[in-house]
Amino acid sequence: MKTQFFKLVVPAIFLLCVSISCSDDDDNPDAINEEETITTVLLVVTEEGTTNVDTYTWTESDQDDIVLDADSTYNFKIQFLDQSDPTDVEDITEEVIEEKDEHFVFYETTTSGLTFASASDDTIDSDSVAINISTDWETGDATTGIIRAYLIHEPTTKTGSSRDDFGGETDIEVDFNVTIQ
Amino acid sequence: MIRRAWLIVLLFGIHVLSGQQCDKTLVGKVIDFHDGVPLESAIIQYNNTIIKTDQDGGYRISGLCPTAYAFTISHENCNERVITLDMKEVTQNDFYLEHHYTDLDEVDLASSQNKVTNSQVEEKLSRKELDNYSNLSIGDALKEISGVTTLTSGNTIVKPVIQGVHSSRIIILNNGVRQEDQEWGEEHAPNMDINAFDQIKVIKGSGALQYGGNAIGGVIIAENKLTALRDTIFGKSQLAASDNGRGGAINSGVSIGLKNGWAGKIQGTAKYFGDSEAPDYVLSNTGHREQSFSAAFGRREFIYGVESYYSFYNATQGILRASHIGNVGDLVRAINNDFPLVINDFGYTIDAPRQETQHHLAKIKGYKRFKNFGKLNLQYSFQYNNRKEFDIRRGDDKDKPSLDLELITHSIESNFLFDSSDNFKKNVGFQFSYQTNTPNPDTGVRRLIPDYKKTGIGAFALTEFKVNDQLTLDAGLRYDFLNINAKKFYEKDFWEERGYDTGFEDLIIDEESDQWLTNPDFDYNSISVSGGLNYIYGNRNTLFFSVSVANRAPNPVELFSDGLHHSAAIIELGDLRFDQEQALKFSLGSEHNDFFDLGSLVISPYLSRIRNFILLEPTEVELTTRGAFPVWEYKQTDAVLYGIDIDYSIDVLESLKFNTGFSYVYGQDTIANEPLISIPAPSFRSEILWKDKRWIARLVNSTVLKQNRYPDNDFEIDIIENNILTTETVALSETPMAYTVFDVFGSYVFDLWQAKDLTIGASITNIFDASYRDYMNRQRFYADNVGRNITLNINFKF
């Protein structure tokens, strides 16, 4: 009986040794550079009727302050970049536009008199809702405050007046200080 | 027992009497296999004759015919044996009997006096009890045991919690093999099918050192035994259909016992459920699918045995869509909303977020008994676990998992049980295991758990000493060595921020743009000890007392976490500097089986002091492109946990029984002087059971109080409301309200082809469709628990 017992156990031990020695390689794992992360948000701001273009950048290490003139109109184009690999910068905005039905851009501001609306060249989704990639802004009196930009993924609705109305998940939420002068 | 008797009858029929001269005589003794002691009053049966052994264990049978006889030998507390002897050749024979019933691993489900340890508090669930949960999980079933609660992520991802602790502080044994399936994660449920087991035992203590020195919380032993019967085939099929989730489960199993002692068992389960429903809404994307299969084959003889076992588990589990959040603002919106933020119509589709897990387990085991000496066990096991977690992702990565881990574990173990003296048993053994974890780099997400190799060696010695009929003492000692050899990329900024650049600079082996490749190679040595007593006194009272010191090495998450946990929207930081957790636990069990003629009472208080207790707590808020993220850091502190489990049951009438249980746990961080997080609230579970020959009806009430002891982990974020920047508190610490839920179960047994072969049952859980949230459900911020569920159950034995 002993022999039968060991007939089964010995190959098992052998298999164990083989599998350990086979898997015991010393290869180093490959580095992963996360893609799809949005590292940078750009606001490309054009004063209406002019060719004055200012680009404001938001990254985790550096945030630009926006300066606008009082009682003026501006066009804001928002851009999302992945700069995690500096040699291969990816424009995630294209993806957002491609998946326009699942995305929505929204702004909130603490600056009184500052309002925005979708621009004529904005991206329109298949339900004919403009998703605020391009927006027109009107400024009021001189003041300071912040503009908070959101990119919302799969909002439950695209109509509303505050972030709470849209549901969905927040892909982007960044603050720009703004000075109206 | 009925089956066994039937088998004996059958065996008697084998021998054919012919008209020979019946003048043969057989003499010998009946002897205890272990210690060689002759057994007095052992019974030898053949045909219709019964003979008892004398005080020296001797016997003499005359008037036998020269043919084959099947002798059935039995003795009080022994396993019956049937031995066939040909009287043409034999005149003298000694029969050996096994009188250590438990050691033979032959578990009689009807007996409750069948403990794994001497002094630990143990409870168990039999197959009959598990049958009620055939379409649920092991964790759900274990809730029947006082002191066992669950940590859930929705209704399908259910982890057991023993006396307040869970995850890597609990050992789960899957048919004798320590389950290795990334059990450290709070959202990682054990990859096991409840239908694959005949019984599940819970040891509520850390003193069962034969299983490991790091079971600070306890051990869950799930077992599936081959039949000891010969020349038999039996099986069962079970079908359960539920209205909530609009799905069901089917499972079937067949056991075979061959004449020559070989036995086999196969079993399979399939589950298919769509979205579950809370009382007021659909819990979107909470469907689940599960397929599992197991097969065992072996031979269990008295003096030797071999067994091979294989099991496969495959599951896809949907995670509530509304629980996938982008940032803290989303969490605040979820907390402030009574309804989940995403509610879709009922469906069977399982989208992201979801988990796909697979687990293969193969083992081969053998034992050999040595006369007057003991029993040697040897086991090799292999486990393969694959876990894929899918988050909501965009673009080309949409169908890619965010986490894809492959965990391979080999383990070899052996022990020798010296049981020749029933009064002084010793058990020595060792375990060796080798594990590799390989995260798939194709996920495109930085590895939450790095590549690592883990080698573990453990050796233990346990002893049980019976002082007298009332008192049995036990003591145990165990040494463990654990090595974790990982290869992990750290972002250079992070490496410095954590202060790893001083003290850990030797770990760096390579550089890849802004990341260091490091090779943490850590050794952990530990010694665990246990001691206890079991004292039987008075009218069926037993006192258990045990003290144990257990050590747990930090798990890979605690050591290596370094970033965004996407689906949870928190940044988790581990620490390479962590030392082992060391727990000192005292537990007491006071069992009164006849409590002043008023039923039975079990009171089990415990106290544990854990040094270097690892917990996750929020420290700061970090600003990212996705807005503010709370940073949760693992830290080591000292903790005290104490509590009590009380069980009481009384037979009101012959067929009417009342059971009730209460559990309370107190957990305190003694350095920060604040309550520990995620400690189960005090809970009651009571049932009225009415049972006669064919009917079983149960009314169960579960009441969970509000947990008033929780740490304040609230933090503040700025929100813009009506063009004004305001500060809002993220109130994630507050615990849910108390709740009470009633369930009813009923079943009736029919005789179809055989006696009691068909059971038809029905159950309604959460009868009153109560809306509630549970502190131990990670999805409590997003949605209510499941509402009323009606289940029909058909169980057919053949």
Side-chain angles (χ1 to χ4, degrees), chain B residues 432-505:
Chain B
F432 168 80
S433 73
Y434 178 78
Q435 183 176 74
T436 57
N437 180 60
T438 316
N440 183 352
D442 297 338
T443 55
V445 176
R446 295 191 63 248
R447 301 166 177 90
L448 187 67
I449 316 283
D451 293 69
Y452 73 78
K453 290 178 221 155
K454 191 168 97 179
T455 311
I457 299 167
F460 64 86
L462 309 172
T463 179
E464 236 175 77
F465 179 67
K466 199 168 175 180
V467 179
N468 53 37
D469 281 349
Q470 291 181 299
L471 181 66
T472 308
L473 304 176
D474 67 88
L477 182 68
R478 183 179 170 109
Y479 166 74
D480 279 286
F481 166 79
L482 187 74
N483 169 269
I484 296 182
N485 184 343
K487 290 218 173 123
K488 162 140 183 94
F489 283 98
Y490 278 98
E491 281 174 343
K492 289 178 181 172
D493 296 349
F494 178 81
W495 183 258
E496 275 170 40
E497 209 179 287
R498 298 295 286 167
Y500 292 157
D501 48 339
T502 49
F504 291 103
E505 54 276 64

Side-chain angles (χ1 to χ4, degrees), chain B residues 112 363 550 660 674 729 733 769:
Chain B
S112 65
K363 79 159 188 183
T660 186
E674 59 176 17
T729 303
S733 310
D769 214 15

Side-chain angles (χ1 to χ4, degrees), chain B residues 8 34 65 74 122 128 176 234 242 247 273 302 479 484 501 543 547-548 610 697 731:
Chain B
I8 292 158
H34 296 280
C65 308
S74 57
E122 293 178 22
K128 256 187 192 152
F234 60 93
S242 296
F273 288 91
F302 184 57
Y479 166 74
I484 296 182
D501 48 339
L543 182 77
V547 187
S548 55
I610 307 177

Side-chain angles (χ1 to χ4, degrees), chain B residues 324-370:
Chain B
H324 194 281
I325 54 171
N327 70 2
V328 176
D330 295 348
L331 177 63
V332 172
R333 274 182 282 284
I335 291 172
N336 292 344
N337 244 296
D338 287 340
F339 285 78
L341 294 172
V342 183
I343 301 174
N344 298 321
D345 290 340
F346 172 88
Y348 286 97
T349 318
I350 301 176
D351 286 322
R354 69 172 188 279
Q355 300 182 353
E356 289 179 12
T357 48
Q358 281 191 354
H359 192 85
H360 295 263
L361 183 154
K363 79 159 188 183
I364 179 157
K365 175 189 162 177
Y367 64 82
K368 170 96 177 80
R369 279 163 188 278
F370 300 91

